Amino acid sequence: MDPGRVFENDPPSRTLPWSVRPGARAWRCAPAPAEVRSFHFSLPDYATTPLTEIPSLAVELEVGRVFVKDESARLGLPAFKALGASWAIHRTLAERVASGEPGPVTLVTATDGNHGRAVARTARRLGQHAHVFVPQGVHPQAVAAIVAEQAKVTEVPGPYDEAVRLAAEEAAAPDAVLVQDTAWPGYEQIPGWIVEGYSTLCAELDEQLAAEGVTEGPDLVSVPVGVGSLAQAVITHYRSRPSERASALLSVEPESAACVLESLALGEPVSVTTGDTTMAGLNCGTPSSIAWPYLRGGLDAAVAVADADSARAAGDLAALGVSSGPCGAASLAGLRAALTGADAEERRTALGLGPSSVVVLLSTEGDAANPHSTAGH
Ligand SMILES: Cc1ncc(COP(=O)(O)O)c(C=O)c1O
């Protein structure tokens, strides 16, 4: 039987978009390569991002402890994405040297802002060129931030998928390479390196939690999800280590772009028609092809939230001293949706949560990262 079909879904009349898979904590996979962390450690701007405990959220969510992993300043940029871009570009250039192509290269990508800016920054640092395709709806400030990294920017009068298509076409030119943070059949190696790059975030988290006395890992991690590459990295981390007490993993998407929730519900990867959302980095209609087996196997649950919920979560985090944009704060909005309200007890039980549980939410961008565009990834 297709394991994806064991998902239990709420009936369509329910208001909370929610999908749960009971067997996920027993699913296992191979770990990310250990050298990623030391690579990041060698970068000039590298520093561990903060892990902040927020007792008032633990009270509100009726759990023992809540920690926020704050990605508002990562490798000089206001989102976690440079972890993936820097490692993938390092690997790409190393392969080119190994195959006798050491010359300059143009790194091509499509983006709603964060990933493209990270590719452009990395290209500039390494003396390479970058060409970034942005779909319609990307805020002019996000475009300006990419231009400021000396990248060539092409604005596409269409949605994110169209920008990806044009970027892939452009990357067919000699001495050009597509560095995209989503995979599809036939284009999987570089997105795989991007996922590996995100593993540093999880490695830091282990050390930081251990320093807080949480040595067995958290009971629940809440992850904002667009195409699922970050979630793939988180699943890889928590499902590849021997643990008596496996962590539950929750994905959070915008209601208007819940391609992972929809795919889990159907048991196969599907594309959804996306609409507008302030959670621009999560506005993706298709799960990454390499993420899908991990999402299907290792995610405990998926939930979708409205723009107003992530905006409220961002405001609350700001009041608590954590800068968080709409995508980053989606993780808190998703936790609130899952752990409180009607039928919360059922969902808490499904996630294995109790009053002393330790919960981590990944705040994947700072407020400065997102000038409230409505485009794709
Ligand atoms: C700030 C932020 N958070 C989360 C994500 C989601 O990552 P993924 O598309 O890998 O699921 C993105 C993607 O661009 C993002 O920019």
Side-chain angles (χ1 to χ4, degrees):
M1 186 177 90
D2 180 344
R5 300 210 181 272
V6 301
F7 283 82
E8 295 166 2
N9 301 300
D10 292 320
S13 59
R14 286 254 328 153
T15 47
L16 182 67
W18 165 257
S19 182
V20 63
R21 179 175 186 267
R25 263 161 280 164
W27 191 81
R28 284 291 174 269
C29 62
E35 68 262 31
V36 179
R37 178 81 194 278
S38 42
F39 164 75
H40 284 133
F41 204 79
S42 73
L43 296 178
D45 284 342
Y46 175 77
T48 298
T49 56
L51 183 72
T52 306
E53 181 163 13
I54 305 198
S56 61
L57 286 180
V59 172
E60 179 194 329
L61 297 170
E62 296 177 46
V63 293
R65 303 177 77 178
V66 172
F67 295 91
V68 182
K69 181 68 170 156
D70 171 2
E71 292 293 312
S72 61
R74 172 64 86 177
L75 293 168
L77 294 174
F80 76 102
K81 303 291 293 191
L83 286 174
S86 59
W87 173 247
I89 291 169
H90 168 76
R91 288 299 317 265
T92 300
L93 297 179
E95 294 264 311
R96 284 176 67 86
V97 169
S99 58
E101 299 174 293
V105 66
T106 300
L107 304 163
V108 184
T109 196
T111 188
D112 79 319
N114 289 327
H115 171 69
R117 194 172 170 191
V119 168
R121 167 71 60 95
T122 309
R124 183 157 72 96
R125 180 170 56 78
L126 297 173
Q128 305 289 352
H129 306 289
H131 187 172
V132 181
F133 287 73
V134 291
Q136 70 189 14
V138 170
H139 197 282
Q141 275 175 36
V143 177
I146 299 168
V147 171
E149 300 293 346
Q150 289 158 23
K152 179 176 174 187
V153 171
T154 298
E155 296 191 59
V156 176
Y160 173 73
D161 283 0
E162 177 68 358
V164 173
R165 198 183 62 75
L166 292 176
E169 262 178 36
E170 177 70 21
D175 293 323
V177 181
L178 184 68
V179 183
Q180 202 57 60
D181 52 351
T182 188
W184 53 87
Y187 180 72
E188 299 190 320
Q189 185 177 49
I190 290 175
W193 288 332
I194 288 175
V195 173
E196 287 178 3
Y198 299 156
S199 65
T200 291
L201 188 158
C202 299
E204 290 175 4
L205 191 49
D206 279 352
E207 290 166 10
Q208 291 171 308
L209 284 173
E212 294 285 348
V214 183
T215 48
E216 288 191 23
D219 296 289
L220 175 64
V221 183
S222 178
V223 189
V225 165
V227 300
S229 293
L230 173 62
Q232 181 185 349
V234 173
I235 293 165
T236 300
H237 183 75
Y238 287 104
R239 301 291 180 249
S240 62
R241 57 186 199 169
S243 175
E244 304 285 293
R245 222 182 38 160
S247 306
L249 306 174
L250 171 70
S251 80
V252 185
E253 294 170 286
E255 280 176 355
S256 59
C259 62
V260 169
L261 175 58
E262 187 70 20
S263 298
L264 293 178
L266 293 170
E268 61 187 358
V270 291
S271 295
V272 300
T273 304
T274 55
D276 283 353
T277 170
T278 49
M279 293 172 263
L282 313 183
N283 197 2
C284 307
T286 309
S288 167
S289 62
I290 54 170
W292 170 246
Y294 292 77
L295 300 167
R296 185 181 62 184
L299 257 188
D300 291 83
V303 70
V305 296
D307 282 3
D309 299 327
S310 92
R312 181 166 78 89
D316 292 346
L317 286 170
L320 292 162
V322 178
S323 166
S324 186
C327 300
S331 52
L332 173 56
L335 276 177
R336 284 174 163 160
L339 305 190
T340 63
D343 300 328
E345 255 341 288
E346 214 177 287
R347 291 190 295 274
R348 296 171 76 96
T349 305
L351 293 169
L353 290 186
S356 59
S357 293
V358 175
V359 173
V360 171
L361 59 101
L362 305 185
S363 177
T364 47
E365 66 179 356
D367 191 34
N370 195 319
H372 308 298
S373 58
T374 58
H377 203 225

